[in-house]
Amino acid sequence: MATRVQFENNNEVGVFSRLTNGYCLVGIGGSENFYSVFESELADHIPVIHTSIAGTRIIGRMCVGNSKGLLLPNTTTDQEMLHIRNSLPDKVVVQRVEERLSALGNCICSNDYVALTHTDLDRETEEIVADVLGVEVFRQTIAGNVLVGSYCVLTNQGGLVHPRTSVEDQDELSSLLQVPIVAGTVNRGSDVIAAGLVCNDWSAFCGLDTTSTEISVVESIFKLRNAQPSTIVTEMRSSLIDAMQS
């Protein structure tokens, strides 16, 4: 199920959190309500860890990970790295990366099997991504944007991409990633998908402004409520008719 949440009156929840099937990182300093929403949904299954990265709260944009590993920028302090490593399950590999494009969350998006990366990422970093996260790596753009981590949210169930992604590109990505891909928005029309949405295989959190139509797209593509694509079309049609009538 998808849950609406805000971080200190900010709808960009994907900027302040990183969610995988093995753990959840949440930026420190937010209101307690933000953490409690994550903890009530996740704490029975995976650890919810409060942390900063490189002294900032924008941890969702700074790191990238999946259930096997977590990559942090080289600006991460030793203390932060120690805290994260001690809080995570033992099977999760944590590694710092020497990379010019240090906002790893903007440049890489990954599930447990494949990763898309910024076209200018270092060859060495690409190898580290493949090694630590245990994934196949593809250099890719989404709707002409090199920041694949910002414009795509990916799980083992499916992927949501920038609304201007052509059908041909969606098909190409879908065959590359071996999961269904759909174009959409969050937070009432925002195209920066990963800033407004975090997802794993059984739960999702999106900004408070996200409309019910957007949520139904999210729940369908990520298979969060066994929603069928056909119900999306029906829901969309009825909400469009409502909008036209009002």
Side-chain angles (χ1 to χ4, degrees):
M1 189 182 126
T3 310
R4 291 187 180 102
V5 62
Q6 267 190 331
F7 184 92
E8 294 183 357
N9 294 332
N10 192 320
N11 288 303
E12 312 290 356
V13 295
V15 172
F16 302 102
S17 57
R18 168 65 62 193
L19 176 60
T20 73
N21 289 337
Y23 54 88
C24 175
L25 303 181
V26 180
I28 54 172
S31 61
E32 202 49 48
N33 183 35
F34 184 69
Y35 304 130
S36 59
V37 171
F38 279 86
E39 283 172 346
S40 64
E41 194 78 23
L42 302 170
D44 292 345
H45 311 286
I46 56 174
V48 179
I49 301 149
H50 303 184
T51 185
S52 63
I53 291 177
T56 68
R57 302 186 297 177
I58 55 168
I59 59 166
R61 303 298 88 217
M62 298 300 280
C63 69
V64 65
N66 61 14
S67 60
K68 302 171 201 161
L70 176 67
L71 294 176
L72 302 167
N74 60 346
T75 46
T76 310
T77 65
D78 294 344
Q79 193 180 1
E80 286 165 346
M81 185 147 174
L82 201 63
H83 166 59
I84 291 169
R85 195 172 260 155
N86 289 341
S87 309
L88 287 177
D90 291 341
K91 67 183 172 75
V92 179
V93 182
V94 183
Q95 189 164 333
R96 266 192 291 223
V97 183
E98 290 280 340
E99 167 61 55
R100 183 176 56 86
L101 302 165
S102 62
L104 301 172
N106 285 337
C107 300
I108 305 164
C109 85
S110 170
N111 63 14
D112 291 341
Y113 305 104
V114 284
L116 300 178
T117 72
H118 191 295
T119 48
D120 297 337
L121 210 70
D122 282 353
R123 180 74 57 199
E124 199 179 318
T125 307
E126 189 183 320
E127 286 169 12
I128 292 170
V129 170
D131 194 34
V132 173
L133 302 186
V135 292
E136 256 189 290
V137 180
F138 301 103
R139 288 172 188 263
Q140 196 72 28
T141 60
I142 289 173
N145 293 293
V146 286
L147 295 176
V148 288
S150 303
Y151 293 104
C152 174
V153 170
L154 198 56
T155 71
N156 301 333
Q157 308 291 336
L160 188 65
V161 295
H162 190 289
R164 294 239 169 93
T165 311
S166 67
V167 176
E168 293 79 18
D169 285 359
Q170 288 177 46
D171 290 344
E172 186 190 337
L173 284 169
S174 189
S175 62
L176 205 60
L177 303 169
Q178 295 295 300
V179 291
I181 296 287
V182 75
T185 58
V186 291
N187 283 334
R188 207 180 291 271
S190 165
D191 52 15
V192 191
I193 308 293
L197 174 70
V198 288
C199 241
N200 68 8
D201 286 356
W202 70 88
S203 62
F205 300 88
C206 53
L208 208 61
D209 279 351
T210 305
T211 65
S212 56
T213 310
E214 288 167 340
I215 282 187
S216 64
V217 172
V218 167
E219 290 185 341
S220 174
I221 193 64
F222 295 119
K223 302 183 174 61
L224 297 176
R225 207 199 273 159
N226 302 326
Q228 299 304 311
S230 57
T231 51
I232 280 200
V233 178
T234 323
E235 274 188 43
M236 275 187 173
R237 196 172 288 140
S238 58
S239 61
L240 281 171
I241 291 166
D242 287 347
M244 286 163 74
Q245 285 172 343
S246 57

